[in-house]
Amino acid sequence: MKLTISPSPLAEQKKDAIIIFFQGADPLLPSGHAALKKLVAAYVKNAAFKGQAGQTAVFPLPEKMKANRLIVAGLGEDKDFYNGLLEQAAAAAVKAGRAAGMKSFAMASTIKLTGVSEADYQLLAGRGAAWGTYEFSTFKSDHKKKPAASLVFAGAVKDRTAVKNAEAQGTALLDTANVANLPGNEAPPAKIADWAKAMAKANGLSCQVLGKAELTKKGCGGILSVAQGSAQDAKMIILKHAGTDKTAKPIVLVGKTVTFDSGGISLKPGKGMGWMRYDKCGGMAVLTAMQMIARMNVKTPVVGILGAAENMPGSRATRPGDIIKAYNGKTIEVLNTDAEGRLVLADALGLAAEMKPAAIVDLATLTGAVIVALGSAASAVLGNDQKLINQLVSSGTEAGERLWQLPLYKDYSDEMKSDFADLSNLGKSGGAGTATAAAFLQEFVPDGIPWAHIDIAGTAWVESAKPYQDAGATLFGSRLLAQWISAQG
């Protein structure tokens, strides 16, 4: 979506629609828009629109107005507001407009919204507007491609950087969503690797792909054990952004990229298994973040590692009770082959640690337990460095992606000890599944390296259409990572 800035006020914009946000019953417009505010209030006075979060309404504008339509979008009440609702409202407004055949939109360059700066508003609203144009129609034979959309921020803008970043991040979201939503037969590890290579070339990143032979030579027994039951070979994809600060240590982002998760020998129930195409969403968030980082040309060097594998119950599949060796030399008793993501991440974290990073952050659709704990309202974050966790939580708040810290007590590490190997991939008691999974991962991060784990199992995709997006991948995590990394240095 093309984002531009115009000095002319919102009421003077000759577009298919102007978008105005409401917080409850209050239209949010900057000073100097009294006439427009009065007109908008009259439209919604007797309408069903009440400014609730995710709610939108479309009205025709009188001939005296240059725009054809008015779209109002709700943020909910002030007491319930968080930044993600602004991005969702912008997406919902554009989505509603696109459904009515519109392609050009305008919104005020700034609004009065408690706790949201002008730059944050432009980033959230611009990025949300871009997300509102997305449709996954690859396999719909009767789909007609809609024309490209545009958005103008109307009025004075102090600094154009936020609008430029919104366009860069919006483009990255739309590009990666097409891969994130592909089913397992269309997105095996090899295809993910090919897409990553093409994306890297287009955005000035370097890309290295380790295949089965290289992974075997390196001793990456975790990811290889996951792929054993599949006809598809595993791939470890390593993307690098050089950055402009040549003296800085790199930040390493690690993403679980299980392209389809049947559970392996520990087979999942058939109901809902089709959604396991989205077990690659940790890697998809890293792919998106790396493209955002490259397009914004951030100073900090960043490495993205995707451990891509398919978990299937073939004749060579890893069995419960098998013992494997990870890249860092630790042995693991595989008690449950459906706890496979942590085996993939074990090798990826080992490789990340060798890069002597400033910090490592991994993202994964790792446990059902996190959904029990937090639902889809937030993702869990755990780690070994409180400063890093605080930064990620703060960046998530700014980016509209909420994180909630869970503890990482020694008790959870004790749960992961095995009678027959160094570790087991399942806790002895079966409780605290999110924390014990993180405790397992911590065993592959050397002391002295700040590390955080983000479990996105409850936030990585939606199973039914929302006002702001269709069913499918959300790419949760990419926004907060871009926010955090762009603030470094």
Side-chain angles (χ1 to χ4, degrees):
M1 187 182 206
K2 183 66 176 175
L3 304 183
T4 56
I5 301 167
S6 168
S8 300
L10 189 59
E12 297 298 316
Q13 296 297 323
K14 190 175 182 181
K15 303 295 178 185
D16 291 334
I18 58 173
I19 297 170
I20 295 178
F21 299 108
F22 272 67
Q23 194 154 56
D26 298 326
L28 302 178
L29 285 166
S31 58
H33 290 72
L36 181 57
K37 191 171 185 178
K38 184 177 179 181
L39 175 66
V40 172
Y43 270 111
V44 302
K45 183 177 181 180
N46 297 314
F49 178 81
K50 303 300 178 185
Q52 297 169 356
Q55 191 178 24
T56 59
V58 181
F59 301 99
L61 284 171
E63 291 185 3
K64 65 179 181 178
M65 297 288 293
K66 293 188 177 181
N68 296 324
R69 300 288 180 89
L70 164 69
I71 302 175
V72 291
L75 303 177
E77 299 296 331
D78 178 65
K79 65 183 178 63
D80 300 318
F81 178 78
Y82 74 99
N83 285 9
L85 293 177
L86 173 57
E87 183 162 340
Q88 291 174 12
V94 170
K95 190 172 176 61
R98 298 282 280 175
M102 303 176 205
K103 62 180 182 180
S104 60
F105 304 87
M107 64 176 65
S109 61
T110 185
I111 60 174
K112 294 180 179 178
L113 190 56
T114 303
V116 179
S117 69
E118 179 180 309
D120 285 343
Y121 160 74
Q122 290 159 1
L123 177 60
L124 292 161
R127 189 172 64 202
W131 189 239
T133 68
Y134 181 71
E135 291 181 331
F136 183 65
S137 55
T138 303
F139 301 103
K140 294 186 177 181
S141 57
D142 61 348
H143 177 76
K144 293 182 180 179
K145 188 176 181 180
K146 292 180 180 178
S150 64
L151 170 72
V152 61
F153 284 99
V157 171
K158 295 177 183 176
D159 184 348
R160 294 172 176 258
T161 302
V163 176
K164 291 179 181 178
N165 287 345
E167 183 171 323
Q169 293 187 25
T171 298
L173 288 166
L174 299 183
D175 283 354
T176 315
N178 279 328
V179 182
N181 285 315
L182 287 173
N185 64 318
E186 291 288 336
K191 186 164 183 177
I192 299 293
D194 289 343
W195 191 90
K197 286 179 185 176
M199 185 278 285
K201 185 177 181 180
N203 290 280
L205 301 169
S206 68
C207 182
Q208 178 187 14
V209 178
L210 306 179
K212 183 177 181 180
E214 294 93 339
L215 292 170
T216 301
K217 186 176 181 180
K218 283 181 172 291
C220 293
I223 191 171
L224 289 170
S225 73
V226 174
Q228 275 181 206
S230 171
Q232 306 292 337
D233 287 340
K235 306 287 182 184
M236 193 74 79
I237 304 161
I238 303 172
L239 298 158
K240 292 184 179 180
H241 168 72
T244 55
D245 186 350
K246 304 304 180 183
T247 63
K249 292 182 178 180
I251 289 171
V252 183
L253 310 177
V254 175
K256 172 189 172 185
T257 317
V258 174
T259 58
F260 185 79
D261 180 20
S262 70
I265 296 294
S266 307
L267 194 67
K268 291 178 180 291
K271 184 179 180 181
M273 195 192 290
W275 291 103
M276 289 300 98
R277 70 206 278 184
Y278 293 108
D279 212 21
K280 61 182 180 290
C281 281
M284 296 301 100
V286 171
L287 266 185
T288 309
M290 291 301 296
Q291 187 175 350
M292 289 177 173
I293 288 159
R295 286 178 169 270
M296 295 189 295
N297 194 28
V298 301
K299 296 179 180 179
T300 306
V302 185
V303 179
I305 302 178
L306 284 71
E310 183 180 63
N311 188 23
M312 297 291 283
S315 62
R316 295 189 176 187
T318 297
R319 296 156 291 245
D322 283 0
I323 295 175
I324 64 170
K325 183 183 286 188
Y327 175 70
N328 75 343
K330 292 189 177 183
T331 56
I332 305 164
E333 182 185 11
V334 181
L335 295 180
N336 189 316
T337 63
D338 194 25
E340 86 299 331
R342 62 200 70 185
L343 304 179
V344 172
L345 292 174
D347 288 337
L349 289 169
L351 292 169
E354 288 193 341
M355 298 176 182
K356 302 188 185 324
I360 301 172
V361 178
D362 75 76
L363 297 90
T365 49
L366 207 62
T367 67
V370 78
I371 303 174
V372 176
L374 299 174
S376 60
S379 288
V381 60
L382 309 91
N384 65 6
D385 187 276
Q386 193 59 48
K387 180 180 178 182
L388 172 60
I389 290 172
N390 291 345
Q391 289 176 350
L392 292 171
V393 171
S394 177
S395 294
T397 299
E398 293 173 9
E401 294 184 325
R402 295 183 291 193
L403 298 180
W404 188 264
Q405 185 179 1
L406 294 180
L408 194 52
Y409 301 133
K410 182 179 179 296
D411 308 56
Y412 304 136
S413 297
D414 293 340
E415 280 271 308
M416 306 310 289
K417 292 178 180 177
S418 166
D419 293 330
F420 304 104
D422 296 328
L423 301 164
S424 63
N425 76 329
L426 204 64
K428 293 177 181 177
S429 70
T434 301
T436 55
F440 175 89
L441 296 179
Q442 188 176 19
E443 296 292 328
F444 302 91
V445 181
D447 292 341
I449 298 177
W451 158 77
H453 161 65
I454 302 175
D455 193 332
I456 61 172
T459 56
W461 71 91
V462 295
E463 295 186 4
S464 58
K466 306 293 183 185
Y468 52 88
Q469 78 157 81
D470 293 341
T474 65
L475 300 176
F476 185 100
S478 59
R479 300 163 182 83
L480 75 87
L481 289 176
Q483 186 87 21
W484 171 57
I485 291 170
S486 62
Q488 303 303 303

